[in-house]
Amino acid sequence: MPVSRTELNAYLNKLLQVDQFKDYCPNGLQVEGSSTIERLVTGVTASQRLIEEAIAHNAQAILVHHGYFWKGENPCITGTKKSRIATLLQHDISLFAYHLPLDADQRFGNNVQFAQTMAWTIAGKLGDTLALHGLVEGTETGGSLRRKLSETLGFEVMHIGEELDDIETIAWCTGAAQGYLEQAIEAGVDAFVSGEISEPTVHLARESGVHYFAAGHHATERGGVIALGEHLAQHFELDVQFIDLPIPV
């Protein structure tokens, strides 16, 4: 059942409360395409390959977590940015992107969806960050949790910590949130999970004794767009297709 581009944009902006966030990019409709939408493709990042997949699926719109026009980047429409936007415009495809609102949402957010995927119990937010904390399912060790994460996400997870240590309490934030490790240490949890890792993260984890798991930026952030797409399919009776294009980080 078709929905207007304007109605979909307004609905998503209200649902995800975009006005409550100061973000690094614009949230909502980033590139204007067809005025009506029947078929929607969702994905993590608005790469050229995802755009080509949307064309192949005859989609009128794309919904992603990582869109365009980031603060600090060159604003000129050249190179890969020109190619992507030109392809969208040529095929009259709209691009909707939601960054922090799709991380933080209490129903469709990446962090909530990640916890559901791992069957973790959510106790609350980690201080004033976007991260959450809670309890793992059952009994885990450093080694068993690494294996469970890797199998569940289909990604080779990196673990900093002792394989045989028990893990009960955990904090997590999808994507590139290794900077929240200090807050996790202050909270006294056994482990922290995010998507990426940097050199200082290794030393901080080892010296603090808090386990760190780097579970993939893309791999940890699929849940939000999948859940939101499924909701839109039901609410608007849209044809929604999630396209997974894994990357090695």
Side-chain angles (χ1 to χ4, degrees):
M1 182 175 179
V3 61
S4 75
R5 180 190 64 240
T6 302
E7 181 182 1
L8 181 59
N9 188 48
Y11 179 81
L12 284 167
N13 289 348
K14 182 178 180 181
L15 180 69
L16 298 176
Q17 299 179 301
V18 298
D19 292 339
Q20 303 298 314
F21 295 87
K22 292 183 178 179
D23 212 334
Y24 313 104
C25 61
N27 288 293
L29 181 65
Q30 290 191 341
V31 179
E32 184 179 299
S34 174
S35 61
T36 59
I37 298 166
E38 295 183 60
R39 188 169 291 110
L40 175 70
V41 158
T42 64
V44 176
T45 299
S47 64
Q48 185 69 33
R49 187 177 169 194
L50 184 65
I51 297 170
E52 299 296 341
E53 290 284 350
I55 294 168
H57 284 78
N58 296 314
Q60 293 82 41
I62 298 172
L63 171 65
V64 296
H65 180 48
H66 301 138
Y68 304 153
F69 313 116
W70 299 90
K71 288 182 180 179
E73 75 175 13
N74 186 344
C76 297
I77 310 298
T78 58
T80 57
K81 187 188 295 185
K82 178 211 168 187
S83 298
R84 292 171 176 179
I85 294 174
T87 307
L88 289 169
L89 294 175
Q90 179 183 354
H91 293 272
D92 207 21
I93 297 174
S94 293
L95 175 65
F96 296 87
Y98 294 91
H99 185 231
L100 294 183
L102 193 54
D103 283 321
D105 191 79
Q106 295 182 12
R107 182 177 175 188
F108 306 109
N110 285 317
N111 287 322
V112 168
Q113 290 297 318
F114 188 63
Q116 291 180 9
T117 298
M118 298 304 302
W120 294 340
T121 301
I122 299 173
K125 292 184 64 177
L126 185 67
D128 60 356
T129 73
L130 294 175
L132 300 176
H133 72 95
L135 300 172
V136 300
E137 181 186 33
T139 302
E140 296 281 7
T141 64
S144 71
L145 184 55
R146 180 191 61 78
R147 290 188 293 273
K148 184 175 181 180
L149 283 163
S150 295
E151 292 168 3
T152 302
L153 299 175
F155 181 87
E156 189 61 36
V157 172
M158 179 181 293
H159 170 220
I160 306 300
E162 296 297 325
E163 291 274 303
L164 298 180
D165 283 356
D166 290 332
I167 294 177
E168 296 180 4
T169 58
I170 193 162
W172 63 94
C173 190
T174 64
Q178 60 266 44
Y180 290 161
L181 177 56
E182 289 191 31
Q183 286 91 332
I185 294 168
E186 292 172 2
V189 297
D190 298 325
F192 184 69
V193 181
S194 188
E196 298 187 11
I197 190 168
S198 56
E199 190 266 355
T201 313
V202 176
H203 299 292
L204 189 58
R206 285 176 174 170
E207 293 169 24
S208 68
V210 173
H211 291 250
Y212 186 85
F213 297 86
H217 195 136
H218 174 96
T220 59
E221 297 203 313
R222 290 180 291 211
V225 288
I226 291 175
L228 185 56
E230 290 173 350
H231 170 75
L232 294 175
Q234 183 176 26
H235 185 81
F236 289 109
E237 298 183 20
L238 288 173
D239 180 356
V240 178
Q241 177 70 47
F242 172 70
I243 304 294
D244 192 21
L245 301 173
I247 59 174
V249 296

